[in-house]
Each structure stands twice: as C-alpha cells, then as structure tokens.
C-alpha cells in the first residue's frame, strides 16, 4: 500500500509543518542540569479540587527547588467538558494558595515560548505527527461505528476478556487499500488509531519517580490518537506536548498508571525520550474506621472552593499539604516554626507510595496555629478578604470600622499577652467570634436559663445592678476585679476563691460564678476572653445597656415570645 498517499488522503492539510521541524520551533530549554520542568495540565471542566492543588504543589516545589519551570497547559481536547471561565478559576484558585505558574495559558510571561498552551490551538502539530505515523505504517484509519464498538465490548465482557481494540478485535487494522478508499469515497467517518507494536506477553520494569520500580505489561491496544473531528485524544496530545514543551517530570494521579504502557509506546513510536513519570497516590480520608478515597460526590472538602468559603488560612492548607506530600516536613516545621515552607528541601522520591491520609482536623490545627501567628493588622486583612467575598452585609459594615476590629483582634488573639490564643480556626468561624461586639449581631442570652448557679431574680439583679453602679472604664484590670469581688460578696458569693473552697455551703457561688452572670449578660456567652477588656472595647454606654436589668428581662420576655 502506498502509505504516503494514504496519509495524504486521511490528513489532506496542505500546509502542515514537517514533524522534524518542531524540534527547532521548540528547542530544548536552556535549563541547568537537574532543573525540573513540570506542568499542571488540567481539563477546563471548572471543578478544581484538592488533588489538583496537591499535585500543583508537588509540581511547583519540584520545579522551584531545582531552578526549573512550572507551567500551565490546558487539555481542552474534550469540547463537551469545557466550562467557561475554568482556566481563570484554576489560576485564581491556585494563586489564593500562593502557587504561581512561570509560564503557560493566560500567564503573562516572557518565558511563553513553548505555546500555544491550549491543546486545541496545537491541532496542526498533532496532525503532522499523526500523518507521519500513518506514513510509517504505525497508525491507520478505523471506520468502526460506535454500535460496532459497543457490540465488540459486550462480547469481550461476556467472554471475560480484556475489552478494547486489539489483536483479532482490531478489525480495521488489516483493511485492504481498496476497502479503505471505498469507505473514504462513501464519506464514512473515521478515527486514526495507533498500530500497536506491543504484546501482552511482554513485561518490563518501569521506574516511577515516586513508586519506584514497577513491572508493567506492554500495551497491545490500538488506541485512538485522532478523533473523527481531527482532534487528538489526551494520550496522543500529552505525549507530543510533554516532549515539545520539554517537560522533564510528569506528576499526575495514580489513576493514570494503567495508561502508562500506552504512553510509553506513544513516545517510542513518535521517536521521543519520555519524561520521568511520578504517580501520586490518591488522597484518602477516614470514614468511621475505614480509610477511603475522597469522593467528589460525598466529600465537599474535595473541592478547593470549600477551603476558601470556610476561610481556612491559605498558607495553612499549603503547609498541611506539604506534610501529606513529604512526611518529614512536619519534623522540619517543628525545628523551624517560623520558617518559610519554601526553604524545606522537597523531594519527590520521599512522597508516600500509597494512600495519603487527608485529615481535616489536623488541617484545622495548622490553620489555628498559622492564624495565631499573625499580627492584628494581617489578621484583619485576612478576615476582611473573606468578609468581602463571603460575609453577610452586617459583617461588611462592621469591617468598615477597622480600628474597632483591631482592638477586638488584639484581645481574641491574645496579642501582648503571655501566649497567643488560638480561638480563630478559620475566617468563617472567626468572624462570628466578633458578633457580640456589635449591637446588630449581639445575641442576647437569657441569664436565668444559661447561668449554672443560683438563678433567682434577686441574685442576678444584685450582680448586674451592683456592677453597673460601680463600673468605671478607667479602672485597670485589678481595680476592675476588686470591684467585681465586692459586688459578688454583697450578692452572697464568696469574694475569695479560698473561702468558697473552704465553705461552699455558706455562699451562692464563687466570684467566678458571679462573673459568669456578667459575662452572659454582656456577651451572650458563658465563655469569653478577658471580660474587663471586653467591657473596655464595648464602651460604657453599651455595657450599661446590656447590664440593665429591665432591658435584660424585657429581652428575655421577647425571646420567650419568639419561641
Ligand atoms: N488532563 C489530565 C487531567 O485533567 C491531566 C493528566 C496529566 O497530568 O497528564 O486529569
């Protein structure tokens, strides 16, 4: 058969560049020895998940710890799955977590010499190579219809055989010249398939950069390389792109491991040296006592949006993922608590070989710690960023009063105290801790119901009224406390804890019980940071309003009616 003629008939494009010329168009990069060229190659489906961030972080670290390049390529060969704005969303989401690309789709960079970075815009390159493979007898047209392929699959399944297009099932592999031209004359749609040279009788060892040596079976499937619309499949496109974008290390999920023999064969027939492959293990979670893969359907925490909406501190998410990527990162952070994670020597071969456990509770701890280290100003910026995007209108209003919020943050973060407090876990929860400092979001709580001790109106009244009378915002902490003790004693509480401990039967409670009555009236909560400081922040007028017994009773009545 005249294969050149066949190639022209199947891919008639006149002005394709010869395949060899691409070696000059995309020359090897001028990178130092050992520099890794890595890429994130998502399909623009709009769903960007934790796995993407996990692999992007590994890619970014692998590139930047070796003086290499990390680029973004968009694998948009499947038009049906494409979603408007998906590319911007990938870039924006990763940027939120501090991960930036050096080059690639929508990245404004002088390095962009290996583009276009959208696969659809590279159709000619793929077609040029498909044509070459046809000329070499390494690819052929297949005219099988979807129905025929379904029937083959059914038969294979019934016979418990491997499904696919291979061996005797590869019907179009041996079409005669006449048959092919007849089909073409009839205008029958066709795809181009690889004429696999492999055999499942042969096994070989492959070295994965994470999993180490793996024994795999050669590919014998005549996979589709160009679809009927002339657009390549992922398999074909990625091999060509990784070669010409001069990728040295492909980091991708282990779900691709089963396609590896196909990919290695494609590199071979195309005449390329394959990049190194690193297959990352899946992210798992504990579900009761069992460990299972994170699932898009069951686990909202798989979506990256989840972390932004919940307001986890982005650096905490990255640091926690670093622990999942390289288990010795945790030890490093203990030695370098204030250190920049970028100074840690990330190693691809130290990544876990199987199921990486993702523990939301641990992430929460890391997030708390990172937030507790911020200055009040930086914490304000972080919370404010969240409020602007996800907060209620009332939050937005509150955040206009930066000075007031900074005062609150100084208190709830324990700034200036002996030890920082870790009350803020994430923005969504942290912003709610500010609620009682504002009248419109303060939730009155019925002291009588909430207070643990003597609930008589007389006792509550004595504490609230007694303290309202003597409260002076100019008092320092010890003066404030001395007044509290006096008010507590007058109301029948033990002013000194030692008295309370020695003779509890003589008192209505201890001074801290009296403080609890005040606290509930002022904050609506039984627990809070230092009450004296809270009162200072709230201001005298607001405090007296909240301590007013009549108003308290009226609020109780209103709340009871509402229920
Ligand atoms: N486009 C593939 C995906 O979105 C990328 C796989 C790879 O990194 O090679 O899963």
């Amino acid at each position: 058969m005249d294969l050149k003629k066949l190639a022209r008939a199947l891919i008639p494009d006149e002005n394709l560049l010869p395949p060899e010329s691409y070696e000059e168009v995309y020359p090897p990069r001028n990178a130092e020895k050992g520099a890794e060229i890595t890429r994130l190659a998502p399909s623009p489906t709009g769903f960007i998940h934790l796995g993407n961030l996990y692999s992007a972080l590994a890619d970014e670290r692998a590139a930047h710890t070796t003086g290499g390049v990390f680029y973004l390529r968009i694998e948009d060969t499947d038009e049906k799955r494409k979603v408007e704005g998906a590319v911007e969303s990938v870039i924006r989401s990763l940027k939120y977590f501090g991960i930036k690309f050096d080059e690639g789709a929508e990245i404004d960079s002088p390095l962009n010499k290996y583009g276009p970075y959208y696969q659809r815009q590279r159709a000619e390159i793929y077609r040029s190579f498909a044509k070459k493979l046809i000329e070499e007898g390494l690819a052929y047209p297949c005219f099988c219809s979807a129905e025929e392929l379904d029937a083959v699959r059914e038969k294979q399944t019934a016979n418990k055989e491997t499904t696919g297009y291979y061996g005797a099932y590869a019907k179009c592999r041996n079409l005669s010249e006449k048959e092919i031209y007849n089909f073409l004359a009839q205008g029958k749609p066709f795809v181009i398939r690889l004429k696999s040279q492999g055999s499942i009788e042969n096994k070989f060892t492959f070295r994965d950069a994470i999993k180490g040596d793996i024994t795999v079976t050669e590919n014998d499937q005549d996979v589709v390389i160009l679809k009927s619309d002339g657009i390549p499949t992922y398999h074909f496109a990625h091999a060509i792109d990784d070669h010409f974008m001069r990728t040295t290390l492909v980091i991708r999920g282990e779900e691709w491991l089963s396609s590896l023999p196909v990919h290695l064969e494609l590199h071979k027939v195309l005449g390329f040296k394959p990049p190194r492959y690193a297959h990352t293990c899946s992210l798992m979670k504990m579900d009761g006592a069992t460990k299972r893969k994170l699932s898009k359907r069951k686990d909202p925490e798989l979506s990256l949006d989840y972390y932004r909406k919940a307001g986890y501190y982005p650096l905490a998410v990255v640091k926690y993922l670093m622990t999942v990527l390289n288990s010795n990162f945790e030890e490093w952070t203990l030695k370098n608590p204030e250190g920049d994670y970028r100074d840690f020597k990330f190693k691809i071969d130290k990544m876990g070989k199987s199921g990486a456990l993702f523990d939301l509770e641990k992430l929460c701890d890391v997030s708390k710690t990172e937030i507790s280290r911020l200055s009040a100003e930086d914490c304000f910026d972080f919370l404010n960023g969240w409020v602007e995007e996800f907060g209620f209108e009332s939050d937005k209003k509150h955040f206009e009063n930066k000075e007031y919020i900074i005062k609150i943050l100084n208190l709830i973060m324990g700034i200036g105290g002996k030890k920082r407090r870790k009350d803020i876990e994430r923005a969504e929860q942290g912003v709610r801790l500010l609620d009682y400092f504002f009248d419109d979001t303060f939730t009155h709580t019925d002291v009588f119901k909430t207070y643990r001790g003597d609930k008589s109106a007389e006792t509550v009244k004595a504490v609230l009224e007694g303290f309202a009378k003597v409260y002076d915002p100019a008092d320092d902490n010890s003066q404030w406390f001395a007044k509290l003790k006096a008010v507590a004693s007058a109301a029948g509480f033990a002013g000194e804890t030692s008295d309370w401990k020695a003779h509890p039967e003589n008192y209505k409670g201890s001074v801290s019980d009296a403080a609890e009555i005040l606290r509930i009236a002022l904050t609506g909560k039984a627990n809070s940071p230092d009450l004296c400081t809270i009162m200072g922040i709230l201001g005298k007028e607001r405090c007296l309003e909240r301590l007013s017994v009549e108003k308290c009773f009226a609020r109780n009545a209103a709340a009871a009616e509402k229920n």
Side-chain angles (χ1 to χ4, degrees):
M1 193 178 323
D2 181 346
L3 293 174
K4 278 210 166 323
K5 184 177 149 209
L6 177 65
R8 266 198 311 278
L10 297 171
I11 303 181
D13 316 35
E14 291 286 330
N15 40 12
L16 291 181
L17 289 183
E20 323 75 70
S21 66
Y22 288 106
E23 290 293 339
E24 278 160 46
V25 179
Y26 303 116
R29 289 174 186 261
N30 223 344
E32 285 193 16
K33 200 167 172 281
E36 300 286 13
I37 313 301
T38 62
R39 81 317 190 257
L40 188 73
S43 303
T45 58
F47 182 65
I48 160 125
H49 55 82
L50 195 63
N52 294 129
L53 176 62
Y54 177 71
S55 73
L57 183 59
D59 277 316
E60 190 271 343
R61 287 293 77 213
H64 293 156
T65 48
T66 56
V69 172
F70 172 44
Y71 72 89
L72 174 65
R73 179 171 79 224
I74 302 301
E75 306 212 316
D76 56 354
T77 54
D78 190 352
E79 185 77 336
K80 287 193 288 293
R81 296 178 64 210
K82 205 162 146 188
V83 165
E84 233 15 80
V87 178
E88 290 69 24
S89 148
V90 170
I91 298 172
R92 194 172 8 93
S93 298
L94 294 179
K95 195 169 157 210
Y96 177 78
F97 293 101
I99 296 183
K100 293 198 193 107
F101 297 97
D102 304 309
E103 157 186 330
E106 308 303 327
I107 308 295
D108 184 15
S109 161
L111 289 173
N112 281 355
K113 295 195 176 122
Y114 292 83
Y117 296 92
Y118 284 85
Q119 288 185 326
R120 280 196 164 254
Q121 294 171 18
R122 301 171 67 81
E124 287 186 357
I125 313 177
Y126 312 125
R127 292 167 73 74
S128 170
F129 277 90
K131 203 163 179 178
K132 172 177 180 261
L133 294 185
I134 299 166
E135 286 171 2
E136 291 170 345
L138 293 167
Y140 64 90
C142 165
F143 298 91
C144 288
S145 65
E147 292 73 32
E148 281 172 288
L149 295 174
D150 283 347
V152 169
R153 179 173 296 271
E154 265 171 40
K155 188 168 160 200
Q156 290 166 331
T157 313
N159 292 346
K160 297 199 166 49
E161 288 173 304
T162 308
T163 55
Y165 207 81
Y166 62 93
Y169 290 114
K171 216 176 95 191
C172 294
R173 192 177 168 124
N174 301 312
L175 290 181
S176 69
E177 191 164 6
K178 207 168 146 212
E179 286 170 309
I180 294 177
Y181 284 105
N182 259 343
F183 282 145
L184 288 178
Q186 288 164 25
K188 240 184 155 197
F190 63 89
V191 299
I192 305 290
R193 286 186 184 271
L194 167 75
K195 189 178 258 180
S196 172
Q197 307 297 304
S199 155
I200 52 159
E201 301 301 323
N202 301 335
K203 294 201 182 312
F204 64 99
T205 303
F206 158 81
R207 174 154 294 182
D208 185 272
I210 295 173
K211 295 188 187 283
D213 284 348
I214 312 176
T215 304
V216 282
T217 306
E218 273 183 12
N219 170 57
D220 71 339
Q221 298 263 353
D222 287 356
V223 293
V224 175
I225 57 173
L226 282 192
K227 297 183 267 188
S228 54
D229 55 1
I231 295 296
T233 53
Y234 159 72
H235 303 303
F236 193 53
H238 104 284
I240 292 178
D241 292 346
D242 279 330
H243 177 70
F244 286 115
M245 295 181 179
R246 307 293 174 181
T247 312
T248 60
L249 178 65
V250 169
I251 303 176
R252 60 181 185 185
E254 65 189 354
E255 66 276 15
W256 292 106
L257 205 49
S258 57
S259 311
L260 185 76
V262 177
H263 298 163
L264 294 177
E265 183 172 10
L266 283 170
H267 279 283
K268 191 166 163 197
V269 296
L270 288 163
F272 303 154
K273 178 175 177 273
R276 275 153 58 240
Y277 282 93
H279 290 92
T280 59
C281 51
S282 307
L283 289 172
M284 317 279 278
K285 75 180 275 185
M286 289 310 290
D287 190 351
T290 47
K291 204 167 155 186
R292 66 161 173 80
K293 260 195 206 173
L294 278 171
S295 114
K296 189 171 166 180
R297 204 167 40 83
K298 292 192 209 149
D299 306 312
E301 71 264 34
L302 189 61
S303 154
L304 275 194
D305 280 347
Y306 172 86
Y307 300 91
R308 288 187 36 217
K309 278 192 195 133
Y312 284 93
Y313 193 61
L315 181 65
V317 178
V318 168
K319 279 189 158 184
Y320 178 59
L321 281 179
M322 284 297 295
T323 317
V324 183
L325 284 173
N326 269 188
S327 56
N328 55 332
F329 178 73
E330 200 163 0
E331 199 185 304
W332 183 87
T333 38
L334 290 177
K335 284 193 201 129
N336 305 275
E338 308 283 329
D340 184 333
Y341 77 91
R342 293 178 184 90
D343 294 333
F344 167 75
K345 288 251 163 306
F346 169 75
K347 287 261 183 307
I348 195 85
D349 54 2
K350 287 232 171 75
M351 282 179 66
K353 293 187 191 346
S354 63
L357 194 63
F358 185 82
D359 182 344
L360 216 45
E361 250 176 63
K362 269 205 173 156
L363 169 62
C364 236
D365 274 350
V366 181
S367 186
K368 250 190 228 177
T369 305
E370 288 303 320
I371 294 173
S372 77
R373 291 201 177 115
L374 297 177
S375 65
E377 185 84 20
D378 287 346
C379 188
F380 175 87
D381 290 344
F382 166 59
L383 297 179
N384 192 36
W386 181 88
V387 162
E388 276 172 9
E389 208 173 348
F390 303 106
F392 298 122
E393 281 314 307
S394 53
D395 296 330
K396 290 181 188 152
K397 265 244 85 34
H398 298 166
F399 271 75
E400 282 170 16
N401 194 347
K402 180 168 174 179
E403 208 185 315
Y404 188 62
I405 301 235
I406 293 269
K407 272 194 213 158
I408 306 171
L409 290 178
N410 274 316
L411 167 72
I412 61 178
M413 295 173 78
I415 295 177
K418 278 202 205 87
K419 222 173 141 206
R420 285 289 180 96
R421 297 174 64 99
K422 293 189 179 178
D423 295 14
I424 311 179
E425 283 174 8
R426 50 198 176 82
E428 189 185 36
Q429 162 267 352
V431 167
R432 297 283 65 84
L433 296 180
L434 312 179
D435 280 349
Y436 63 79
F437 289 95
F438 299 89
D439 292 333
D440 59 340
T441 45
F442 165 63
T443 323
H444 167 75
T445 308
D446 186 339
V447 179
F448 297 100
K449 279 198 187 139
T450 319
Y451 175 54
R452 285 167 296 166
D454 175 353
K455 291 185 200 299
S456 68
E458 182 204 339
T459 307
V460 169
K461 215 170 152 184
V463 173
L464 297 185
E465 262 174 8
F467 202 76
K469 249 184 234 145
V470 296
Y471 176 61
D472 180 352
D475 289 343
D476 65 16
N477 228 298
S478 57
Q479 290 163 322
W480 181 92
F481 195 50
K483 283 184 177 172
L484 173 66
K485 281 182 182 173
V487 169
S489 315
F493 292 83
E496 299 301 330
T497 315
S498 51
D499 293 342
W500 163 245
K501 281 199 178 135
H503 296 287
E505 68 283 3
N506 294 348
Y507 304 99
K508 288 183 179 163
S510 74
V511 66
S512 62
D513 293 311
E516 192 182 313
I517 298 181
L518 277 184
R519 179 172 284 119
I520 295 171
L522 287 163
T523 67
K525 298 188 184 310
N527 293 302
S528 76
D530 179 59
L531 196 55
C532 170
T533 316
I534 291 179
M535 292 183 76
I537 296 173
L538 288 172
K540 186 163 184 180
E541 201 185 322
R542 202 180 261 140
C543 287
L544 295 186
E545 215 272 336
R546 291 190 191 177
L547 294 178
S548 145
V549 175
E550 286 95 83
K551 289 199 176 140
C552 234
F553 286 0
R555 285 200 199 98
N556 286 348
E561 203 160 286
K562 229 164 115 192
N563 291 332

